[in-house]
Amino acid sequence: IVGGIYSLRGATNYKATALISLGQPTSPGGALVPSYGTNPRAVSQIVSGASVQEQAANAADMRPSALRGHVSVGTVGSAGAGSTRTQPLISLTVTGSHPKNTAAAANNLAATVVERTTASYVTTKIQTFERTLQNVDSQLNSITEQLTVYNRALAAAKTKNLDPFQTLVIVGQQNNAETRQGNLIAQQETLQQQLVFAKQVEAARVVVKAAAVEASAHSKSSSLLIGALIGLILGAIVAIVAEPRFKRA
């Protein structure tokens, strides 16, 4: 009976791990900017906070108590030295009995880590690049429309044999527009590279989202085997203890 009870108690546990890359802010000159968010220990302090765990639990439809003692943080790889220094990956793991809730809690915690460890300086830089890039894109669209008009005007000038001076004016305007277009394209490429660098390197980000996998110490089959073994052992003990009593009787 005891062995049977043990075999039935083997509930499946799950773990969900998210991988986070901590950002590394840089100055306009390329020098590293120190920040608490670049310290892996800061992640442990953030995810162990009661308010943060309560927020994650509510988002995952769990009780806050279900996360206490079930959140762990580790470092994947190590940082180098000098100019080769790199930020390590942070593994954030949540364990629980329900896979969907466990994964949701881990992803919510990871999102909070990204939000709180990304320096406000980097966030402002990204927003500035995005606004400037939108302005450049708008100017390029306008110039493209102007060039379309100039090309049509030149085609009309050739068919109608317009005055050469008027044709020369159109060609000059077209050349100016093409020069401006080339400068804007170069500026656009630079802004795109700066924006990608700020988002992928300077800002923290989730590299791999959490997905729940089984992490049970005992599977159903192993629990049955262990339960049967316990039953045999207890039965043998009972038989040994009871045997002298039967003989005396």
Side-chain angles (χ1 to χ4, degrees), residues 88-108:
L89 285 177
I90 302 298
S91 63
L92 190 159
T93 301
V94 175
T95 58
S97 57
H98 301 286
K100 290 184 178 180
N101 307 72
T102 301
N107 286 320
N108 186 276

Side-chain angles (χ1 to χ4, degrees), residues 134-184:
Q134 288 177 355
N135 184 36
V136 170
D137 290 341
S138 177
Q139 293 182 59
L140 279 171
N141 291 334
S142 177
I143 288 178
T144 299
E145 293 176 358
Q146 292 177 23
L147 286 172
T148 300
V149 173
Y150 294 146
N151 289 331
R152 290 175 180 173
L154 284 174
K158 292 179 181 179
T159 58
K160 296 180 180 180
N161 295 322
L162 293 181
D163 183 72
F165 179 76
Q166 293 179 343
T167 303
L168 183 62
V169 171
I170 296 174
V171 171
Q173 292 175 334
Q174 183 187 47
N175 288 338
N176 290 335
E178 289 177 344
T179 300
R180 178 61 177 160
Q181 183 185 50
N183 293 334
L184 285 172

Side-chain angles (χ1 to χ4, degrees), residues 54-74:
E54 182 178 1
Q55 172 185 312
N58 291 335
D61 195 20
M62 301 169 61
R63 296 189 307 274
S65 59
L67 286 179
R68 297 190 194 108
H70 292 274
V71 180
S72 61
V73 175

Side-chain angles (χ1 to χ4, degrees), residues 30-229:
L32 300 180
V33 178
S35 169
Y36 87 95
T38 61
N39 186 350
R41 294 183 179 178
V43 178
S44 297
Q45 296 298 320
I46 292 172
V47 300
S48 62
S51 61
V52 172
Q53 289 192 357
E54 182 178 1
Q55 172 185 312
N58 291 335
D61 195 20
M62 301 169 61
R63 296 189 307 274
S65 59
L67 286 179
R68 297 190 194 108
H70 292 274
V71 180
S72 61
V73 175
T75 302
V76 181
S78 58
S83 60
T84 61
R85 186 178 186 276
T86 57
Q87 287 302 113
L89 285 177
I90 302 298
S91 63
L92 190 159
T93 301
V94 175
T95 58
S97 57
H98 301 286
K100 290 184 178 180
N101 307 72
T102 301
N107 286 320
N108 186 276
L109 288 172
T112 301
V113 169
V114 168
E115 179 184 356
R116 297 198 179 188
T117 58
T118 297
S120 58
Y121 161 74
V122 175
T123 302
T124 301
K125 180 189 291 188
I126 290 174
Q127 292 173 347
T128 301
F129 286 151
E130 288 176 338
R131 285 195 300 268
T132 306
L133 188 57
Q134 288 177 355
N135 184 36
V136 170
D137 290 341
S138 177
Q139 293 182 59
L140 279 171
N141 291 334
S142 177
I143 288 178
T144 299
E145 293 176 358
Q146 292 177 23
L147 286 172
T148 300
V149 173
Y150 294 146
N151 289 331
R152 290 175 180 173
L154 284 174
K158 292 179 181 179
T159 58
K160 296 180 180 180
N161 295 322
L162 293 181
D163 183 72
F165 179 76
Q166 293 179 343
T167 303
L168 183 62
V169 171
I170 296 174
V171 171
Q173 292 175 334
Q174 183 187 47
N175 288 338
N176 290 335
E178 289 177 344
T179 300
R180 178 61 177 160
Q181 183 185 50
N183 293 334
L184 285 172
I185 289 175
Q187 185 179 359
Q188 182 189 55
E189 292 175 350
T190 301
L191 285 168
Q192 288 173 341
Q193 293 173 1
Q194 292 173 329
L195 182 60
V196 170
F197 182 83
K199 286 183 175 181
Q200 299 294 325
V201 178
E202 296 188 78
R205 62 191 179 93
V206 176
V207 179
V208 179
K209 287 188 175 182
V213 296
E214 288 190 16
S216 179
H218 300 292
S219 65
K220 185 176 180 180
S221 58
S222 63
S223 296
L224 288 172
L225 290 174
I226 295 174
L229 181 60

Side-chain angles (χ1 to χ4, degrees), residues 1-10 220 223-232 234:
I1 295 175
V2 174
I5 294 175
Y6 179 88
S7 66
L8 294 175
R9 66 177 290 274
K220 185 176 180 180
S223 296
L224 288 172
L225 290 174
I226 295 174
L229 181 60
I230 292 175
L232 289 173
L234 290 177

